[in-house]
Amino acid sequence: MTPQRQLVLDAVRDLGHATPEQVCTRVQQTAPAVNITTVYRTLDLLEELGVVRHAHLGHGAPTYSEHQHRHVHLVCHRCGRVDEAPIELLSDVAERTLGDLGFRLDATHVALSGTCADCTGPTDRVRAPQSAEGER
């Protein structure tokens, strides 16, 4: 692996979730001559090799993380916070899409949009449905 590619991979590992621009900024701290085009090409190559993966967390640029970094992203509309949930959260959906539609869901590529706990006021919170016993 070339030194520039290694710097890109190290930046992705260090940052956890990072846009190409954030990766470029990190790489340029060590190698100022590396430009954004090189970072994009390197990220594409690393993804083809199965070393990194990308996810779309909203309207902006995709974010990259190490390939084994597997989870569903929860993105807050209000503050932009990104939380992580285990991919098992969508296991019922994944089973149903495969069974009903023959479609294999990649839950690690999914971002669910909503409102985080900090932005949700007490009156905004959705109560969990009560069981038949709880309604008596």
Side-chain angles (χ1 to χ4, degrees):
M1 184 175 295
T2 67
Q4 288 179 335
R5 290 178 182 164
Q6 187 63 54
L7 286 170
V8 170
L9 180 56
D10 291 345
V12 169
R13 286 179 175 152
D14 291 345
L15 295 169
H17 293 112
T19 64
E21 290 77 13
Q22 291 167 324
V23 171
C24 187
T25 298
R26 176 63 65 97
V27 168
Q28 288 176 340
Q29 291 172 354
T30 305
V34 174
N35 62 39
I36 191 69
T37 303
T38 300
V39 170
Y40 271 103
R41 283 190 202 134
T42 301
L43 289 169
D44 285 344
L45 174 66
L46 293 174
E47 188 162 26
E48 284 178 30
L49 296 173
V51 179
V52 302
R53 66 175 58 233
H54 80 276
H56 297 274
L57 303 182
H59 298 292
T63 62
Y64 288 81
S65 61
E66 285 188 274
H67 192 269
Q68 66 268 21
H69 197 78
R70 301 174 48 85
H71 52 264
V72 176
H73 300 92
L74 307 174
V75 182
C76 180
H77 297 272
R78 294 184 186 169
C79 70
R81 179 170 123 188
V82 178
D83 288 321
E84 300 171 358
I87 58 173
E88 292 77 23
L89 176 72
L90 296 178
S91 60
D92 289 343
V93 173
E95 288 175 22
R96 182 141 186 212
T97 59
L98 183 59
D100 293 354
L101 304 171
F103 181 82
R104 186 172 304 276
L105 177 68
D106 177 4
T108 63
H109 198 78
V110 172
L112 301 177
S113 297
T115 309
C116 71
D118 291 343
C119 291
T120 303
T123 58
D124 294 336
R125 288 202 173 98
V126 177
R127 287 189 277 181
Q130 295 182 349
S131 67
E133 288 180 24
E135 295 176 351
R136 289 186 196 169

